[in-house]
Amino acid sequence: MSQITKEPVTLAVQLEKNLKKDSFSTVLANFTPVVLTPPLPQETLLDTFAKLAALAHSNDYLNHQAENLSDLNKSVLEKIYHYGVSPKIINQRQVNILNRKTGIDYPTINPDEISIFNSPITNPQGADLGTRMDLFGQIVDQVLEKTYPTNTLAPDDIIHVSCSGYLAPSPVEKMVSQRHWSTTVTHSYHMGCYGSIPALRMATGFLAASHYGLGKPKQQIDIIHTEFLTLHVNLTSLTPRDILAMTLFGDGFIKYSIYPLKEVLSQKSSGLKVLALKEAIIPNSLAEMLWNLSSHNFEMILSKKIPFLIRDNILVFVEELMSEIGLEFAKEKNKLVFAIHPGGPKIIEFIQRSLKIAPEQVAFSHEILTQFGNMSSATLPYIWDKILSAKEIPSGTLVLSIAFGPGLTAAGAIMEKL
Amino acid sequence: MSQITKEPVTLAVQLEKNLKKDSFSTVLANFTPVVLTPPLPQETLLDTFAKLAALAHSNDYLNHQAENLSDLNKSVLEKIYHYGVSPKIINQRQVNILNRKTGIDYPTINPDEISIFNSPITNPQGADLGTRMDLFGQIVDQVLEKTYPTNTLAPDDIIHVSCSGYLAPSPVEKMVSQRHWSTTVTHSYHMGCYGSIPALRMATGFLAASHYGLGKPKQQIDIIHTEFLTLHVNLTSLTPRDILAMTLFGDGFIKYSIYPLKEVLSQKSSGLKVLALKEAIIPNSLAEMLWNLSSHNFEMILSKKIPFLIRDNILVFVEELMSEIGLEFAKEKNKLVFAIHPGGPKIIEFIQRSLKIAPEQVAFSHEILTQFGNMSSATLPYIWDKILSAKEIPSGTLVLSIAFGPGLTAAGAIMEKL
């Protein structure tokens, strides 16, 4: 990692000159990732979903085809291995649609244990949306129990980020109600993989407004991401893009807090100081990524063009983001560490090449993808957590984050490691 | 309205002393309500929904009952008139699930013209959720065409508020993309009837953060509410609470802008200056109101206890809200004008009695309910628009707003009419 630690302190000093002296700054700290059930090996998951998908297609098959069932199984498995994300890229994922009683990992999964697909032959679409939302609520209740142990002090606000489950009252509102907290809860829903950036905009805004006269000055805003993406698996369609979605996404849960800078400095704590946040819609890309509700699940449409659209637009976006703090990307890029949302297997490489940066600078994105899959909005915070605790990344280093979602929306942040 | 205009200027002067001198203030202005299709008389709607609901129940009826179809029609109509909101309380509503080719009002509606229920006998549940979301997109596209005519200047941000339709990309993102605007779009979804208050928190926060160093100082943030609530009508259930929902909600669309105070003062424009925003969850009320996704529509559960829970908790909430700007509610209440979200037929009266305020002080809430029904999050902005343009409400008057939603969440705002 030697390349990325060059002169970080000089950079921070240079930066200090560009920023207004009286500006209000906020800091992210206290990252708490929650792994509710141990991640399962990607190979196990590919096999399991192939078995389930074969069962879901067996009715069509029995009515219309001459082959036998084991041939169907084999052909589905081949298709899933061909179009799916390989175990080299995603080693394991957290999957909470399994009815596992224990947390113990095991090599084979009985399809009967897949809660939303308990009779794939007769009901290939699986549980309807209402049932899946109920399961979302149950799982997130468990996440909150772990994230907010008894006697946790109430934060001023909690921003609940999700693109996978919408309930009202939400599990977060339930918790706040049961604990008689005066915490304000805000839903930050349906923004997809870039969801952490609008949440940071909200948190920074809520703190800034409160410190400049709107109510009492707030001291702590929590952001919690609950992305239960495997809830939306669809077995009835086996197009390449559906297989990609089935093999790419993992469940991800993580909480962190945003504080006014003064608060963090007085406690000499570490954290990530927010310097710039930016979102922009990439032109002529409206139809390339969709995330919409249907009767049984939320449906994702991912076109093959996405990596290329990102490749062709990312440099300008990153240059504009850097210019928000008065820095030239070309001059500074070798000193930066990157948090790139691994939208798909190719995204990190494409961005790395477009920005002409070193593989070491994007290592954390690879690491999280390999260990957890694409956790939608929870992914960047997992990467931030790694960067904050990495001893080889010194204080003063700037962290440049990028994520994408429907629009196509590109979202970015620059933060300084304190 | 003489009661509420007493000493408003004195109140504003007193208030000035309580607030910090260097505080950052924002102002709401330029309200643009959009009525896509002329509201229809409540009587017409009660008759139409009764006819549709009778058709939706005719299969059950034909299989199990001895009465004839006209008896069924009659009994459903009686039930809907008994439990539904009467035309005295809601005179008319905007309903965009009708396939009307023209904007002309007419006294009877053919059930075939109800786009999501075109075969209620064989398919009583109507269109599935995906189809309804597509219709949401089409209707909101039309709303945006009217709200943002060609050559509209791009605002810095648009906050899209809805609890009735979630698409990604959203219609707002589509518009921003097609116009090549650099506007940042934020989804503020699934918060229900109190949704305007979190949207104001976000807008005020985005402005405050930008003026204190996070990016370039922003000048204009638009908030647009698109509540297409009739999209979620369910004909299969005729419990009192379902009939209430079917006869209470109207579609509502409205846009307005938030500016930094300085901007508005320099142009001597009118507007509503934001002084306080507050949300709180009423204890022991989690199960009383739910708003959740299902396979065919979003389902609302409203218990009979809601008006009583609001009645018993509203005074303390309003006192706390007033104390945020250093005022005592009891002392000031006769000088205030109220924007009370008319959640149900009884809500305005219950609050008026609990707060011991005059009927004149809540007149705008009654007016909007009568003319448009409950438009969820769009309702308070419709009331604000009326108050802002009402000549009998002088500058300096404080406007106290209250709305409710699942949680039960109580949300409130205090604004000063400029």
Side-chain angles (χ1 to χ4, degrees):
Chain A
M1 294 261 166
S2 60
Q3 266 177 289
I4 60 175
T5 62
K6 211 168 71 184
E7 301 181 82
V9 178
T10 320
L11 186 61
V13 169
Q14 180 188 341
L15 188 67
E16 210 58 44
K17 290 180 194 163
N18 298 330
L19 292 174
K20 275 195 257 170
K21 283 221 165 150
D22 60 346
S23 68
F24 178 80
S25 295
T26 58
V27 175
L28 282 65
N30 298 336
F31 289 87
T32 313
V34 178
V35 178
L36 202 62
T37 49
L40 284 173
Q42 178 78 334
E43 273 189 74
T44 309
L45 292 169
L46 294 181
D47 292 346
T48 304
F49 284 121
K51 204 191 254 179
L52 284 166
L55 288 172
H57 285 79
S58 58
N59 254 340
D60 290 351
Y61 161 80
L62 289 172
N63 295 336
H64 304 292
Q65 312 257 342
E67 300 164 88
N68 66 37
L69 258 174
S70 76
D71 287 346
L72 177 70
N73 266 317
K74 205 182 142 199
S75 75
V76 170
L77 191 66
E78 272 169 14
K79 222 172 164 181
I80 285 181
Y81 264 87
H82 183 74
Y83 293 109
V85 183
S86 93
K88 280 179 198 167
I89 290 169
I90 295 179
N91 189 253
Q92 57 177 29
R93 290 181 287 150
Q94 190 183 170
V95 176
N96 286 290
I97 46 169
L98 311 179
N99 280 338
R100 291 185 296 170
K101 296 272 189 312
T102 68
I104 300 159
D105 210 340
Y106 49 89
T108 55
I109 296 160
N110 186 333
D112 294 341
E113 297 185 3
I114 311 287
S115 51
I116 54 171
F117 294 114
N118 51 16
S119 47
I121 298 175
T122 52
N123 183 20
Q125 288 202 286
D128 69 7
L129 194 60
T131 309
R132 295 194 200 210
M133 289 293 118
D134 287 345
L135 183 59
F136 178 87
Q138 291 165 30
I139 291 291
V140 176
D141 283 346
Q142 292 174 39
V143 169
L144 291 173
E145 263 176 51
K146 286 201 167 202
T147 327
Y148 289 94
T150 320
N151 299 328
T152 303
L153 291 176
D156 294 296
D157 282 52
I158 302 179
I159 299 171
H160 179 214
V161 185
S162 186
C163 68
S164 46
Y166 316 143
L167 298 163
S170 72
V172 174
E173 287 172 321
K174 259 175 68 182
M175 177 185 70
V176 165
S177 173
Q178 283 159 354
R179 299 191 187 193
H180 300 278
W181 287 356
S182 62
T183 303
T184 301
V185 179
T186 307
H187 302 175
S188 184
Y189 292 171
H190 209 63
M191 284 179 271
C193 295
Y194 68 91
S196 56
I197 307 298
L200 287 191
R201 275 197 292 118
M202 289 178 200
T204 299
F206 297 160
L207 284 173
S210 78
H211 281 261
Y212 290 97
L214 193 73
K216 289 166 205 140
K218 294 181 173 183
Q219 296 307 324
Q220 181 185 334
I221 295 185
D222 287 358
I223 299 179
I224 183 157
H225 297 252
T226 66
E227 296 295 15
F228 184 2
L229 300 166
T230 59
L231 189 64
H232 297 288
V233 163
N234 173 12
L235 302 175
T236 58
S237 179
L238 288 175
T239 63
R241 74 163 196 239
D242 291 311
I243 292 174
L244 178 65
M246 183 191 286
T247 60
L248 175 63
F249 292 102
D251 302 336
F253 311 104
I254 188 165
K255 186 200 92 168
Y256 45 103
S257 302
I258 319 279
Y259 305 92
L261 174 64
K262 274 185 190 173
E263 197 73 9
V264 177
L265 290 181
S266 72
Q267 294 175 16
K268 295 184 183 168
S269 311
S270 65
L272 297 168
K273 180 181 164 189
V274 179
L275 303 176
L277 300 171
K278 182 181 172 63
E279 284 151 65
I281 296 180
I282 295 173
N284 308 315
S285 63
L286 280 167
E288 309 307 329
M289 192 193 294
L290 309 175
W291 181 237
N292 289 325
L293 318 186
S294 77
S295 56
H296 285 71
N297 63 337
F298 293 0
E299 286 179 340
M300 167 151 287
I301 294 188
L302 290 165
S303 95
K304 282 183 185 172
K305 288 187 194 167
I306 295 169
F308 301 96
L309 280 161
I310 291 174
R311 181 194 65 186
D312 298 344
N313 288 279
I314 193 61
L315 181 61
V316 170
F317 177 79
V318 165
E319 285 172 346
E320 286 176 4
L321 179 60
M322 284 290 279
S323 77
E324 296 232 341
I325 53 168
L327 295 180
E328 261 182 65
F329 178 67
K331 276 191 189 171
E332 313 295 343
K333 68 179 182 182
N334 294 331
K335 304 171 203 164
L336 304 173
V337 61
F338 288 81
I340 297 171
H341 175 75
K346 289 176 193 164
I347 301 290
I348 307 170
E349 278 74 9
F350 273 50
I351 292 177
Q352 189 202 321
R353 274 188 237 158
S354 286
L355 300 182
K356 293 178 184 149
I357 52 176
E360 293 86 352
Q361 291 177 281
V362 300
F364 294 103
S365 293
H366 280 297
E367 186 184 331
I368 293 301
L369 178 63
T370 306
Q371 292 301 307
F372 297 98
N374 178 341
M375 297 177 285
S376 188
S377 77
T379 319
L380 278 188
Y382 264 81
I383 300 171
W384 296 336
D385 182 29
K386 283 278 167 196
I387 291 173
L388 188 59
S389 58
K391 285 178 188 163
E392 68 271 28
I393 307 292
S395 293
T397 303
L398 296 193
V399 181
L400 197 152
S401 304
I402 318 165
F404 305 91
L408 293 174
T409 300
I414 304 174
M415 298 190 277
E416 179 191 342
K417 182 169 173 174
L418 297 182
Chain B
M1 293 265 166
S2 61
Q3 265 177 288
I4 60 174
T5 63
K6 210 169 69 185
E7 301 181 83
V9 178
T10 321
L11 186 59
V13 168
Q14 179 188 340
L15 188 65
E16 210 59 43
K17 289 180 196 162
N18 297 330
L19 292 173
K20 275 194 255 171
K21 281 223 167 151
D22 61 345
S23 68
F24 179 81
S25 295
T26 57
V27 175
L28 281 65
N30 298 336
F31 289 87
T32 313
V34 178
V35 177
L36 203 61
T37 49
L40 285 173
Q42 178 78 334
E43 273 189 73
T44 309
L45 293 169
L46 294 181
D47 291 346
T48 305
F49 284 121
K51 204 190 255 180
L52 284 166
L55 288 173
H57 284 80
S58 59
N59 254 340
D60 289 352
Y61 161 79
L62 290 171
N63 295 335
H64 306 291
Q65 311 256 343
E67 301 165 88
N68 65 36
L69 260 173
S70 75
D71 287 346
L72 177 70
N73 266 317
K74 203 183 143 199
S75 75
V76 169
L77 192 67
E78 272 170 14
K79 220 171 166 182
I80 285 181
Y81 265 86
H82 184 74
Y83 294 109
V85 183
S86 94
K88 281 179 199 165
I89 290 168
I90 295 180
N91 188 254
Q92 55 176 31
R93 290 182 286 151
Q94 189 183 171
V95 176
N96 285 290
I97 45 169
L98 312 179
N99 282 337
R100 291 185 295 171
K101 295 273 187 313
T102 68
I104 301 158
D105 212 340
Y106 48 91
T108 57
I109 295 162
N110 185 332
D112 294 343
E113 297 185 3
I114 310 286
S115 54
I116 54 171
F117 294 113
N118 50 17
S119 48
I121 298 176
T122 51
N123 183 21
Q125 286 202 287
D128 69 7
L129 194 60
T131 309
R132 295 194 200 209
M133 289 293 118
D134 287 345
L135 183 59
F136 177 87
Q138 291 164 31
I139 292 292
V140 177
D141 284 346
Q142 292 173 40
V143 169
L144 292 173
E145 263 175 52
K146 285 200 169 204
T147 328
Y148 289 94
T150 320
N151 299 327
T152 303
L153 291 177
D156 293 296
D157 282 52
I158 301 177
I159 298 171
H160 179 213
V161 185
S162 186
C163 69
S164 46
Y166 315 142
L167 296 163
S170 72
V172 174
E173 287 173 320
K174 260 175 68 181
M175 177 185 70
V176 164
S177 172
Q178 283 159 354
R179 299 191 187 193
H180 300 279
W181 286 357
S182 62
T183 303
T184 302
V185 180
T186 308
H187 302 176
S188 183
Y189 292 171
H190 209 64
M191 284 178 271
C193 295
Y194 69 92
S196 56
I197 307 298
L200 287 190
R201 274 198 292 117
M202 288 180 201
T204 299
F206 297 161
L207 284 173
S210 79
H211 281 261
Y212 289 97
L214 193 72
K216 289 166 205 139
K218 294 182 173 183
Q219 297 306 323
Q220 181 185 335
I221 295 185
D222 287 358
I223 298 180
I224 183 158
H225 296 252
T226 67
E227 296 293 16
F228 184 2
L229 300 165
T230 59
L231 189 63
H232 298 287
V233 163
N234 173 12
L235 302 174
T236 60
S237 178
L238 289 175
T239 63
R241 74 164 196 238
D242 292 312
I243 292 173
L244 178 64
M246 183 191 286
T247 59
L248 175 64
F249 293 101
D251 303 335
F253 312 104
I254 188 165
K255 186 200 92 169
Y256 45 103
S257 302
I258 320 280
Y259 306 91
L261 175 63
K262 275 186 189 173
E263 197 73 8
V264 177
L265 290 182
S266 70
Q267 295 175 15
K268 293 184 183 168
S269 312
S270 65
L272 297 168
K273 180 180 164 189
V274 179
L275 301 176
L277 299 171
K278 182 181 171 65
E279 285 151 64
I281 295 179
I282 294 173
N284 307 317
S285 64
L286 279 167
E288 308 307 330
M289 191 193 295
L290 309 175
W291 181 237
N292 288 326
L293 318 186
S294 77
S295 57
H296 285 70
N297 63 336
F298 292 0
E299 285 178 342
M300 168 151 286
I301 295 188
L302 290 166
S303 94
K304 283 183 186 172
K305 288 187 193 164
I306 295 169
F308 301 95
L309 280 161
I310 291 173
R311 182 194 65 188
D312 297 343
N313 288 278
I314 194 62
L315 181 61
V316 171
F317 177 79
V318 165
E319 285 173 344
E320 286 175 2
L321 178 60
M322 285 290 278
S323 77
E324 296 233 340
I325 53 167
L327 295 180
E328 260 183 65
F329 178 68
K331 277 192 188 170
E332 313 295 343
K333 67 180 182 182
N334 294 332
K335 305 171 204 163
L336 304 174
V337 61
F338 288 80
I340 296 172
H341 175 76
K346 291 177 192 160
I347 301 290
I348 307 170
E349 278 71 9
F350 273 49
I351 292 176
Q352 188 203 320
R353 274 188 237 156
S354 285
L355 299 183
K356 294 178 183 151
I357 52 178
E360 294 85 353
Q361 290 177 282
V362 300
F364 294 103
S365 294
H366 280 296
E367 185 184 332
I368 294 299
L369 178 64
T370 306
Q371 292 302 306
F372 297 98
N374 177 342
M375 298 176 285
S376 187
S377 75
T379 318
L380 277 189
Y382 264 81
I383 301 171
W384 296 335
D385 181 29
K386 283 278 168 197
I387 291 173
L388 188 59
S389 57
K391 285 177 188 163
E392 70 270 29
I393 308 293
S395 292
T397 303
L398 296 192
V399 181
L400 197 152
S401 305
I402 318 166
F404 304 92
L408 292 175
T409 300
I414 305 174
M415 299 190 276
E416 179 191 342
K417 183 169 172 175
L418 297 182

